Each structure stands twice: as C-alpha cells, then as structure tokens.
Amino acid sequence: MVYPLIGKQTFSSALMNAIDFKRNTNATLLGEATSGTVNHYGEVRGFRLPHTKIVIGYSTRYWENWKGHNGPLMPDVAITYSVKNFGQGVDEALVYAEKAR
C-alpha cells in the first residue's frame, strides 16, 4: 500500500500529484486537507512595475484537475498533529503508515 502525505503545504504541482495518486491508484491519502483547491489557477508569470519596481504575478492557466470537484483535496485518513509530538520529532502520519503496513 502507498500512503501519500498531504496537508496545508500541498498545493500547485504537489496537489496535482496527490490527485493522480487518488484517482489512478489504490493509495490512501494521509494528513490534512490541502491548502490548494483541486481545480485552480496556475502557471504564474510576472512583470515589474517601472517606477516602484514591485513585481506583479498573475496566473495564465486554469487547471481543471477533477471536473465537478470543489475545494481542497481531503485525506482518506485525517491525521491530528500535536505540538508535543512535533517537538519530539514524531510525525503522526508516518506512525500511522508504519502501523498500517
């Protein structure tokens, strides 16, 4: 069994990879909801404003990765993380995956 980990830092291309795992394999997604939505804008380009030198970014493409799906990608198994375990170097998702194999 494969256990891809997803969470708040899963967005853009990583989100697209997680969607592929979910749709095309028997993988079990572990973790938290993604911060990126399943269908999203991407391929960011930018330009610099001539006087302020501020860089403006804009998306050039809409990615419809899963037709009809709204919002973030949700895990198959929700993992609750704790500060205590984080401080001790324990990753609850990895512990779950190890016990499940």
Side-chain angles (χ1 to χ4, degrees), residues 41-85:
Y41 289 92
E43 290 196 21
V44 177
R45 304 243 169 119
F47 63 91
R48 186 177 302 277
L49 295 174
H51 298 291
T52 63
K53 307 301 183 206
I54 295 172
V55 175
I56 304 297
Y58 62 95
S59 296
T60 62
R61 183 171 175 185
Y62 181 72
W63 293 90
E64 187 173 39
N65 298 301
W66 196 335
K67 190 172 184 71
H69 193 289
N70 295 317
L73 184 62
M74 301 301 288
D76 298 309
V77 177
I79 302 293
T80 301
Y81 296 96
S82 73
V83 172
K84 178 183 174 187
N85 282 343

Side-chain angles (χ1 to χ4, degrees), residues 1-6 16-30 66 73 76:
M1 179 62 78
V2 176
Y3 296 99
L5 307 182
I6 63 171
M16 294 167 86
N17 292 334
I19 292 166
D20 281 344
F21 271 114
K22 179 69 179 163
R23 296 186 74 191
N24 300 313
T25 73
N26 65 345
T28 299
L29 301 178
L30 302 179
W66 196 335
L73 184 62
D76 298 309

